[in-house]
Amino acid sequence: MLKRVLAVLAVLCILIPASVGARSLVNVSLGFGASYLAPDDVEFSQGLSNPDNWHFHGEISARLAFIQAQALVFPMECPSGNQGILLVGMGSLSLPMAGSLLSLEVGGGIGLTYIPSNSEQTRPSYILAGGESKDVSSMTFGEALYRSPIYLQAGVATELGPIALRLRYFMSTQTALEDIFGEKGFWSIFNVDSGALSLVLSLKMF
């Protein structure tokens, strides 16, 4: 009898934490994040109080089991002073370490910077890998993606009910898809240009 009681208690000790921390199979969420990008000539902690070092964005993510897709939108100011939008599409793996309480997220994608027309620049343009600016009418959208920089991310996430919190390191590279399939090869994606520490708060939609 004692052995049966101990066996039941052992099973409960395994099943209860697993059920509390279990992740749903499908997750679609909307989020808002802030990314801190420290200037090269400033120590990491010294630039935290400067609002120019912070970049805010919105994102939508969809996960099926451990495969995740994300779309991020960053309003940004280009070096020329024009206002633009950075659109980043990411594919990643979301690997549960402790159910929904802790997951490891790693992945990569393509970021396309679009600058709409304004009073100073009458024609919209894309900013491609290496900072090259091209008129929208000079190439198709697919060509622009093929020549846009690759972005990488690595971080952790936790889900508490419908709310998720993500801490990630978000990296831009100097490499485009055309470089990977060209002379530079696959390993050129690790030619990181800059990195930002990002914190994202998201709400599960379904």
Side-chain angles (χ1 to χ4, degrees):
M1 183 65 180
L2 180 59
K3 291 182 179 180
R4 290 184 179 180
V5 173
L6 292 176
V8 171
L9 291 176
V11 171
L12 290 176
C13 289
I14 295 174
L15 293 180
I16 291 177
S19 62
V20 171
R23 294 199 312 178
S24 59
L25 180 63
V26 178
N27 186 320
V28 177
S29 61
L30 292 173
F32 175 79
S35 300
Y36 170 65
L37 177 61
D40 295 334
D41 57 346
V42 176
E43 292 186 7
F44 182 84
S45 59
Q46 292 182 346
L48 289 170
S49 60
N50 187 348
D52 293 336
N53 298 333
W54 290 88
H55 304 274
F56 299 95
H57 75 277
E59 68 175 65
I60 181 171
S61 64
R63 176 179 58 78
L64 175 61
F66 58 87
I67 300 176
Q68 184 169 259
Q70 298 162 275
L72 298 81
V73 181
F74 291 83
M76 60 178 299
E77 183 174 342
C78 299
S80 60
N82 298 328
Q83 295 294 323
I85 300 175
L86 171 61
L87 306 173
V88 183
M90 304 282 289
S92 61
L93 296 177
S94 177
L95 306 175
M97 309 296 289
S100 64
L101 299 179
L102 183 64
S103 300
L104 175 66
E105 297 184 347
V106 291
I110 300 175
L112 177 64
T113 300
Y114 172 77
I115 304 176
S117 59
N118 54 40
S119 57
E120 297 179 0
Q121 179 179 317
T122 58
R123 301 182 68 86
S125 62
Y126 297 124
I127 303 297
L128 308 177
E132 182 183 7
S133 178
K134 283 288 187 180
D135 195 295
V136 170
S137 61
S138 66
M139 61 175 55
T140 65
F141 182 75
E143 290 173 336
L145 287 177
Y146 190 67
R147 299 177 58 183
S148 292
I150 292 174
Y151 285 76
L152 305 174
Q153 72 169 0
V156 293
T158 181
E159 297 179 12
L160 300 173
I163 298 176
L165 190 65
R166 291 182 169 88
L167 179 66
R168 66 168 72 111
Y169 192 63
F170 192 68
M171 297 160 280
S172 64
T173 73
Q174 299 177 354
T175 304
L177 283 178
E178 68 172 352
D179 298 319
I180 294 178
F181 297 108
E183 296 180 355
K184 293 184 178 180
F186 172 79
W187 298 108
S188 62
I189 66 173
F190 297 105
N191 184 15
V192 176
D193 182 38
S194 63
L197 187 64
S198 177
L199 183 65
V200 180
L201 181 66
S202 59
L203 178 65
K204 182 179 179 180
M205 307 304 294
F206 59 87

